[in-house]
Amino acid sequence: MINREWHLQSRPVGWPKPEDFALVEAPVPTPGEGQILVRNKYLSVDPYMRGRMSAAKSYAAPYELGKVMQGGAVGEVVASNAEGVSVGDHVLHFFGWREYAALDAQHAVKVDASAAPLSTYLGVLGMTGLTAYAGLLRTASFKEGDVVFVSGAAGAVGSQVGQIARLKGASRVIGSAGSDEKVKLLVEEYGFDAAFNYKNGPVAEQLREAAPDGIDVYFDNVGGDHLEAAIGSLNQGGRIAVCGMISVYNNTEPAPGPRNLARLIQTRGRIEGFLVGDHYDLQPQFVQEVGPWVASGALKYRETVVEGIENNLEAFLGVLRGDNTGKMIVKL
């Protein structure tokens, strides 16, 4: 049996290129003591993976050259040498970018394929969903009546942030996205009060038009001109949760910071970055609250599904380009 897996061949400079990667054939691994063998069914590709392709020190170890990359995955256990995990169980783990993965059972979490589609455990009910929940409610200290602005609002995290804010009683929810089609989706399906295409004009002007009375919370997935615009529209006591800055991930030179940081003094505003890994204690609360919203349809989600391990790289590049609506998933 052959296992196909993606290796990082060289560290990208600027935008990743196909020659930086290789789809390699290797034997299907044999699970050792305390391990399981999982046939992956769905793989996750996410913006943070771009940072792991660099050798720069960060919150996650860089991918090793010439070795298989990692990422979220959900699949079926096809062999088990571990107590408590049986063949046929479905598990969530972080050994993606490959068809088969052998891993310590303690690094896998069982998921219920009958309770929700398996792919949702990589998105709306998985890490991206918890990212939205923790970033909005804990880092940004959201409270009922807040005016909330979300960048990258049609993505997996951003779309959930806006809907959770609405369900929790925001007075107004505004989103930015990269196409008129996504703007329409935000307003008509996800229930945002206003949305704009950041390609149609200066972000600061469009945000002021959408939020004439300012914003109380900004959930940042983009950075750059979006962050500067949010600071410019921040109300007194406003909070900014920095989740990602996809606009600068492929820059070869340091990106200039916002030019209006002094406004934080006037507004007593706060900017705080966060990582979802620091908030796993919220997981039970997150599932208990968000699960019923998803089941009832109160919280909607989209997935962009790409078929085949051979297209894993193109799916990842698509996330960096903003091709996806909702969570980008690779189906094997």
Side-chain angles (χ1 to χ4, degrees):
M1 294 176 65
I2 297 298
N3 185 27
R4 289 182 294 173
E5 53 188 39
W6 281 96
H7 289 201
L8 183 66
Q9 298 294 90
S10 57
R11 302 205 180 278
V13 177
W15 275 86
K17 303 179 294 295
E19 53 265 35
D20 295 324
F21 308 84
L23 182 59
V24 176
E25 291 188 349
V28 172
T30 300
E33 188 65 29
Q35 290 194 324
I36 56 176
L37 178 66
V38 181
R39 179 170 62 85
N40 288 330
K41 291 193 170 185
Y42 294 93
L43 306 177
S44 177
V45 287
D46 303 280
Y48 81 86
M49 294 174 174
R50 177 61 184 88
R52 296 194 66 185
M53 294 172 188
S54 168
K57 186 176 181 181
S58 184
Y59 61 86
Y63 292 133
E64 294 184 57
L65 293 179
K67 294 189 177 181
V68 61
M69 295 185 291
Q70 298 173 339
V74 64
E76 181 180 356
V77 177
V78 293
S80 176
N81 285 327
E83 290 186 14
V85 183
S86 303
V87 170
D89 286 345
H90 292 93
V91 296
L92 172 68
H93 61 89
F94 288 92
F95 292 84
W97 289 82
R98 69 199 83 184
E99 292 176 306
Y100 289 86
L103 60 138
D104 292 343
Q106 64 181 355
H107 295 150
V109 177
K110 287 186 184 181
V111 296
D112 187 352
S114 65
L118 284 176
S119 59
T120 62
Y121 293 104
L122 295 174
V124 66
L125 294 177
M127 186 176 71
T128 52
L130 181 59
T131 300
Y133 189 85
L136 177 68
L137 301 183
R138 178 175 281 174
T139 306
S141 303
F142 170 84
K143 60 183 184 296
E144 187 176 352
D146 279 344
V147 177
V148 177
F149 171 45
V150 188
S151 58
V157 173
S159 60
Q160 232 170 310
V161 171
Q163 292 184 82
I164 292 172
R166 176 177 55 80
L167 290 164
K168 286 280 194 179
S171 62
R172 189 167 176 80
V173 178
I174 302 132
S176 72
S179 73
D180 293 341
E181 181 182 13
K182 290 180 179 180
V183 166
K184 183 178 180 181
L185 172 72
L186 292 176
V187 175
E188 295 185 0
E189 185 168 333
Y190 293 156
F192 282 60
D193 297 288
F196 59 85
N197 182 346
Y198 64 84
K199 297 176 182 177
N200 287 347
V203 175
E205 293 180 10
Q206 295 194 79
L207 178 58
R208 280 195 296 271
E209 183 177 346
D213 297 323
I215 62 173
D216 303 300
V217 168
Y218 170 48
F219 194 104
D220 190 15
N221 290 305
V222 173
D225 55 355
H226 280 75
L227 178 56
E228 186 170 291
I231 294 171
S233 286
L234 206 63
N235 289 330
Q236 185 167 320
R239 292 87 65 204
I240 296 174
V242 181
C243 176
M245 293 191 174
I246 197 170
S247 70
V248 303
Y249 286 169
N250 294 305
N251 288 4
T252 56
E253 298 293 332
R259 297 166 296 179
N260 57 350
L261 284 174
R263 195 165 186 282
L264 294 175
I265 303 170
Q266 305 162 21
T267 61
R268 291 74 146 180
R270 170 169 62 85
I271 301 179
E272 183 178 347
F274 75 98
L275 297 174
V276 66
D278 296 331
H279 302 282
Y280 283 138
D281 62 296
L282 289 177
Q283 180 74 25
Q285 176 182 324
F286 161 69
V287 172
Q288 183 179 17
E289 186 164 23
V290 175
W293 287 341
V294 174
S296 69
L299 193 151
K300 298 175 174 60
Y301 68 94
R302 290 281 190 96
E303 294 175 341
T304 300
V305 179
V306 173
E307 299 265 354
I309 185 73
E310 64 276 9
N311 295 314
N312 210 92
L313 175 59
E314 181 56 29
F316 168 70
L317 297 176
V319 170
L320 298 183
R321 292 191 299 261
D323 294 349
N324 57 302
T325 299
K327 184 77 182 77
M328 180 72 88
I329 299 286
V330 178
K331 181 181 180 181
L332 304 189

PDB file of all heavy atoms in Angstrom, residues 32 36 145 158 185 252 287 304 324:
ATOM      1  N   GLY A  32       2.822   1.677  16.024  1.00  0.00           N
ATOM      2  CA  GLY A  32       3.537   1.032  17.107  1.00  0.00           C
ATOM      3  C   GLY A  32       2.667   0.896  18.342  1.00  0.00           C
ATOM      4  O   GLY A  32       1.450   1.120  18.304  1.00  0.00           O
ATOM      5  N   ILE A  36      -2.229   4.448  16.640  1.00  0.00           N
ATOM      6  CA  ILE A  36      -3.312   4.092  15.732  1.00  0.00           C
ATOM      7  C   ILE A  36      -2.908   4.477  14.314  1.00  0.00           C
ATOM      8  O   ILE A  36      -2.056   5.349  14.109  1.00  0.00           O
ATOM      9  CB  ILE A  36      -4.634   4.798  16.108  1.00  0.00           C
ATOM     10  CG1 ILE A  36      -4.435   6.335  16.150  1.00  0.00           C
ATOM     11  CG2 ILE A  36      -5.159   4.304  17.438  1.00  0.00           C
ATOM     12  CD1 ILE A  36      -5.706   7.117  16.423  1.00  0.00           C
ATOM     13  N   GLY A 145     -24.751  44.703  22.768  1.00  0.00           N
ATOM     14  CA  GLY A 145     -24.868  46.088  22.340  1.00  0.00           C
ATOM     15  C   GLY A 145     -23.659  46.612  21.598  1.00  0.00           C
ATOM     16  O   GLY A 145     -23.703  47.719  21.036  1.00  0.00           O
ATOM     17  N   GLY A 158     -13.948  34.326  10.267  1.00  0.00           N
ATOM     18  CA  GLY A 158     -14.672  35.588  10.235  1.00  0.00           C
ATOM     19  C   GLY A 158     -16.172  35.433  10.144  1.00  0.00           C
ATOM     20  O   GLY A 158     -16.929  36.153  10.806  1.00  0.00           O
ATOM     21  N   LEU A 185     -23.331  37.426   0.394  1.00  0.00           N
ATOM     22  CA  LEU A 185     -23.465  36.280   1.290  1.00  0.00           C
ATOM     23  C   LEU A 185     -23.506  36.723   2.747  1.00  0.00           C
ATOM     24  O   LEU A 185     -24.326  36.245   3.543  1.00  0.00           O
ATOM     25  CB  LEU A 185     -22.299  35.314   1.066  1.00  0.00           C
ATOM     26  CG  LEU A 185     -22.177  34.143   2.042  1.00  0.00           C
ATOM     27  CD1 LEU A 185     -23.273  33.117   1.780  1.00  0.00           C
ATOM     28  CD2 LEU A 185     -20.801  33.485   1.909  1.00  0.00           C
ATOM     29  N   THR A 252       7.991  40.188   1.541  1.00  0.00           N
ATOM     30  CA  THR A 252       9.419  39.919   1.695  1.00  0.00           C
ATOM     31  C   THR A 252      10.109  41.009   2.501  1.00  0.00           C
ATOM     32  O   THR A 252      11.258  40.848   2.905  1.00  0.00           O
ATOM     33  CB  THR A 252      10.092  39.796   0.319  1.00  0.00           C
ATOM     34  OG1 THR A 252       9.837  40.982  -0.445  1.00  0.00           O
ATOM     35  CG2 THR A 252       9.534  38.583  -0.449  1.00  0.00           C
ATOM     36  N   VAL A 287     -18.651  24.002  22.494  1.00  0.00           N
ATOM     37  CA  VAL A 287     -19.472  22.950  21.882  1.00  0.00           C
ATOM     38  C   VAL A 287     -20.897  22.996  22.419  1.00  0.00           C
ATOM     39  O   VAL A 287     -21.872  22.851  21.671  1.00  0.00           O
ATOM     40  CB  VAL A 287     -18.839  21.570  22.128  1.00  0.00           C
ATOM     41  CG1 VAL A 287     -19.779  20.462  21.668  1.00  0.00           C
ATOM     42  CG2 VAL A 287     -17.500  21.459  21.401  1.00  0.00           C
ATOM     43  N   THR A 304     -15.642  25.242   1.281  1.00  0.00           N
ATOM     44  CA  THR A 304     -15.129  25.121  -0.076  1.00  0.00           C
ATOM     45  C   THR A 304     -14.338  23.821  -0.116  1.00  0.00           C
ATOM     46  O   THR A 304     -13.325  23.689   0.574  1.00  0.00           O
ATOM     47  CB  THR A 304     -14.229  26.303  -0.450  1.00  0.00           C
ATOM     48  OG1 THR A 304     -14.992  27.521  -0.357  1.00  0.00           O
ATOM     49  CG2 THR A 304     -13.686  26.160  -1.862  1.00  0.00           C
ATOM     50  N   ASN A 324     -11.541  30.867  -1.169  1.00  0.00           N
ATOM     51  CA  ASN A 324     -12.529  30.090  -0.422  1.00  0.00           C
ATOM     52  C   ASN A 324     -13.642  30.961   0.136  1.00  0.00           C
ATOM     53  O   ASN A 324     -13.437  32.135   0.478  1.00  0.00           O
ATOM     54  CB  ASN A 324     -11.864  29.357   0.730  1.00  0.00           C
ATOM     55  CG  ASN A 324     -11.120  30.292   1.678  1.00  0.00           C
ATOM     56  OD1 ASN A 324     -10.224  31.026   1.268  1.00  0.00           O
ATOM     57  ND2 ASN A 324     -11.497  30.268   2.943  1.00  0.00           N
TER      58      ASN A 324
END
